[in-house]
Amino acid sequence: MNDTRNEFAAPLDSATAGRLEFGRGAYNIVIHADTSTDDLYRARFEGTAPDIRVEDGTIRVDYPRTWRSLDWRRHSADVALNAAVPWGVDVRGGAYRIEADLSSLRLEAFRIDGGA
């Protein structure tokens, strides 16, 4: 098992809204609001780090296509979203074990496509 920890963040800058997108599924993820951060988001991934791109308030998370069928069970993530802006969350490619406390966010959309 890969025990690396990978931490990511991006500044809020001039973003007036945020969007969190998982393009190849989301597995063992905790998503929550952070009312004290100046960043757009902060995330910690355990296991192999996904590819993360941030542009105009959109955070795109893509896990490697090369994972073997059970590799996702060895990975986890904690994603904190800035509560000062409204958010949309979009999970494509399925979801497994997502815990989301979005009660402190202005949530505009939450979509899971591909099974849960």
Side-chain angles (χ1 to χ4, degrees), residues 3-96:
D3 290 328
T4 59
R5 284 187 132 174
N6 303 283
E7 296 189 13
F8 299 87
L12 181 60
D13 288 336
S14 61
T16 58
R19 181 164 192 79
L20 176 62
E21 298 179 349
F22 289 88
R24 296 185 191 134
Y27 315 98
N28 299 324
I29 306 230
V30 174
I31 304 169
H32 56 94
D34 187 340
T35 58
S36 65
T37 187
D38 291 330
D39 291 323
L40 176 65
Y41 84 104
R42 298 188 69 71
R44 184 182 70 245
F45 294 86
E46 298 203 26
T48 302
D51 177 38
I52 298 179
R53 291 168 297 189
V54 180
E55 185 177 338
D56 297 328
T58 297
I59 305 151
R60 170 84 182 201
V61 179
D62 287 312
Y63 285 100
R65 290 183 188 264
T66 58
W67 278 9
R68 291 183 307 267
S69 62
L70 298 177
D71 278 353
W72 55 267
R73 292 183 184 189
R74 297 183 202 141
H75 295 77
S76 64
D78 182 279
V79 180
L81 305 175
N82 187 315
V85 297
W87 282 89
V89 177
D90 190 10
V91 180
R92 295 183 203 118
Y96 179 74

Side-chain angles (χ1 to χ4, degrees), residues 94-111:
Y96 179 74
R97 290 190 179 167
I98 292 183
E99 179 183 325
D101 179 359
L102 306 176
S103 60
S104 296
L105 287 181
R106 289 181 287 160
L107 188 65
E108 294 186 336
F110 189 94
R111 184 181 118 184

